[in-house]
Amino acid sequence: RLQELAFLNPGIKIVLRDKRDEIEENFQYEGGIRSFVSFLNEARTSLHESPIYISGERDNTQVEIALQWTTSYSANILSFVNNINTIEGGTHVSGLKTALTRSVNNYALSRKLLKADKGESISGDDIREGLTCVLSVKIPEPQFVGQTKTKLGNSEVRGLVESILGDMLSAFLEENPVVSKGIISKAVDASRAREAARKARELSRRKSALEGGDLVFL
């Protein structure tokens, strides 16, 4: 938890000292949540060298996002509100997912990296495959769902996160075509694999239905 707090508050130094055995642990990360994402991806192979960092402030709400895609097949999205780990997500995570899906799809279509005429598209799940992301939001009056404070309920935060991420990620994709192509290529591969798996399931079900039927000749 102390390491987590040090990642979320860049520049702050947290020292844990056990005087019984004279053991000391120091936590300080100037890179903030960028360092957090790099730390989470230490055992993974990343598609681009440095995490993408996006930040903005509107209506007294601070938004920080760090993203890095890897060759992994699973997504790892950590979200925080005022340093509280919102493990159940909430409106800030909804805004993040919407902006990601829209920005990547718009760029892919504008650069003809998707065959729209053949119905090719990439879903949010396809885009998030292999993504490691840390989202940190700091707001004056957070409203949590339930007593556990693990899910954010502020409706206005969704639009703020969506707007900040959408604008800045779109600009990043335009300015970094090599990174963008790698991200979209992985998402397209995920989409094709998902479609192939769906067709295989349908074929298997049809085959099972045919094999299970009893033919009666009169």
Side-chain angles (χ1 to χ4, degrees), residues 38-110:
S38 296
F39 171 77
L40 294 170
N41 282 340
E42 280 183 352
R44 298 183 174 190
T45 302
S46 60
L47 296 183
H48 45 102
E49 185 176 353
S50 302
I52 302 166
Y53 177 71
I54 289 167
S55 67
E57 182 174 351
R58 293 178 191 172
D59 300 331
N60 294 322
T61 297
Q62 298 176 12
V63 177
E64 276 191 292
I65 306 164
L67 317 100
Q68 188 176 41
W69 275 266
T70 71
T71 56
S72 171
Y73 296 106
S74 60
N76 185 16
I77 298 177
L78 300 181
S79 64
F80 300 85
V81 175
N82 297 356
N83 294 329
I84 297 169
N85 190 344
T86 46
I87 57 175
E88 293 185 82
T91 53
H92 55 328
V93 176
S94 297
L96 169 87
K97 291 180 177 179
T98 300
L100 269 177
T101 304
R102 181 185 297 128
S103 299
V104 174
N105 265 294
N106 286 347
Y107 180 83
L109 289 169
S110 68

Side-chain angles (χ1 to χ4, degrees), residues 36-214:
F36 200 170
V37 168
S38 296
F39 171 77
L40 294 170
N41 282 340
E42 280 183 352
R44 298 183 174 190
T45 302
S46 60
L47 296 183
H48 45 102
E49 185 176 353
S50 302
I52 302 166
Y53 177 71
I54 289 167
S55 67
E57 182 174 351
R58 293 178 191 172
D59 300 331
N60 294 322
T61 297
Q62 298 176 12
V63 177
E64 276 191 292
I65 306 164
L67 317 100
Q68 188 176 41
W69 275 266
T70 71
T71 56
S72 171
Y73 296 106
S74 60
N76 185 16
I77 298 177
L78 300 181
S79 64
F80 300 85
V81 175
N82 297 356
N83 294 329
I84 297 169
N85 190 344
T86 46
I87 57 175
E88 293 185 82
T91 53
H92 55 328
V93 176
S94 297
L96 169 87
K97 291 180 177 179
T98 300
L100 269 177
T101 304
R102 181 185 297 128
S103 299
V104 174
N105 265 294
N106 286 347
Y107 180 83
L109 289 169
S110 68
R111 290 291 181 273
K112 294 182 171 55
L113 298 173
L114 287 177
K115 298 174 182 177
D117 56 326
K118 294 185 178 180
E120 195 171 57
S121 64
I122 42 180
S123 70
D125 287 337
D126 299 328
I127 292 167
R128 292 190 298 273
E129 183 179 288
L131 171 66
T132 298
C133 173
V134 174
L135 166 63
S136 177
V137 177
K138 291 177 181 173
I139 58 180
E141 297 179 8
Q143 299 167 7
F144 295 99
V145 178
Q147 297 298 315
T148 57
K149 291 188 177 181
T150 55
K151 186 174 183 179
L152 184 67
N154 297 64
S155 59
E156 73 280 3
V157 175
R158 174 174 181 156
L160 284 171
V161 173
E162 187 177 332
S163 176
I164 291 170
L165 176 58
D167 292 346
M168 300 187 74
L169 181 59
S170 295
F172 176 88
L173 294 173
E174 291 286 348
E175 295 166 6
N176 298 272
V178 175
V179 174
S180 304
K181 190 173 181 180
I183 293 169
I184 290 165
S185 177
K186 179 170 176 58
V188 169
D189 287 345
S191 175
R192 289 171 179 166
R194 175 174 52 82
E195 182 63 17
R198 184 187 65 79
K199 290 179 178 178
R201 285 195 303 271
E202 288 181 356
L203 181 63
S204 176
R205 286 168 186 162
R206 285 200 298 269
K207 186 178 179 182
S208 297
L210 288 171
E211 290 177 347
D214 292 327

Side-chain angles (χ1 to χ4, degrees), residues 13 27 180:
K13 184 176 183 179
F27 303 102
S180 304

